[in-house]
Amino acid sequence: NIKTVLQTLDELKKNGYSISESQIKKGLFNVSKNTGLLGRWQVLQENPKVICDIAHNKEGLSYTLKQIGEESFKTLHFVLGFVSDKNLNSVVPLFPKNASYYLCKPNISRGMSVDELRKSFEEKGYRVKAYKSVNEALKKAKDIADNDDIIYVGGSTFVVAEIL
């Protein structure tokens, strides 16, 4: 999305609009405030740090997981749910194996069953636990996590929406 924004800004500049680098930086650093868009690398709390992100495809998740790798933490916890038409074979291998997983079904008709999700992760060698709801999975992650851990909530826009 940032590449598209920057390309659009270049086109606007070519058409006579005056947009400074500082304005661009200010806009990009304040996307949530300026647009009301929630759930993009949104830090919900510290100690443990809880981050949610609506990345839900291979490209978005790759970028988000790279960002997580640049964070400082003791243990990484993932609260994840997906929609039923998600090709899990393309996204599950992106996730690190040395993390704790709390799988759940978003509360929509398109939500992937937690049993199907658990099976996909376990077939690829992940140790996971399944929960009835997003809130139950997040509560369990918070109960288990230490103050210097990170809890990431995502996999689907619908999962993030349930906690915001």
Side-chain angles (χ1 to χ4, degrees):
N1 292 340
I2 290 175
K3 288 180 183 179
T4 303
V5 168
L6 294 175
Q7 183 63 42
T8 302
L9 291 170
D10 283 344
E11 292 300 316
L12 288 170
K13 287 179 185 179
K14 289 177 189 173
N15 287 296
Y17 289 89
S18 176
I19 306 165
S20 71
E21 291 300 312
S22 68
Q23 288 172 316
I24 293 170
K25 286 181 182 176
K26 185 177 178 182
L28 291 174
F29 283 118
N30 294 289
V31 170
S32 293
K33 179 181 172 186
N34 294 340
T35 66
L37 177 65
L38 301 176
R40 280 290 187 195
W41 196 260
Q42 188 170 347
V43 177
L44 302 177
Q45 76 173 54
E46 298 285 346
N47 304 318
K49 188 177 222 179
V50 178
I51 302 167
C52 67
D53 195 274
I54 59 174
H56 57 276
N57 58 30
K58 183 178 181 180
E59 295 74 22
L61 285 168
S62 293
Y63 183 77
T64 301
L65 291 168
K66 182 180 175 204
Q67 282 182 276
I68 289 172
E70 294 171 5
E71 292 282 323
S72 216
F73 57 86
K74 180 179 157 192
T75 303
L76 186 54
H77 304 263
F78 286 96
V79 175
L80 297 174
F82 295 91
V83 292
S84 58
D85 58 352
K86 177 61 60 192
N87 176 359
L88 292 178
N89 290 327
S90 69
V91 295
V92 170
L94 301 173
F95 290 94
K97 293 225 172 141
N98 60 338
S100 297
Y101 288 88
Y102 310 78
L103 305 179
C104 53
K105 176 189 178 292
N107 190 21
I108 59 164
S109 60
R110 287 182 51 217
M112 180 180 291
S113 81
V114 75
D115 291 332
E116 182 180 348
L117 184 56
R118 184 182 71 238
K119 181 180 175 187
S120 291
F121 270 82
E122 287 176 343
E123 285 175 350
K124 291 175 178 47
Y126 292 82
R127 292 187 350 208
V128 300
K129 292 193 177 172
Y131 298 88
K132 294 178 184 175
S133 71
V134 173
N135 284 314
E136 182 183 341
L138 179 57
K139 182 182 182 321
K140 188 63 171 181
K142 285 180 176 181
D143 288 346
I144 292 173
D146 290 333
N147 281 344
D148 51 356
D149 290 353
I150 288 181
I151 300 171
Y152 173 85
V153 181
S156 168
T157 302
F158 301 105
V159 170
V160 173
E162 285 188 44
I163 63 163
L164 290 181

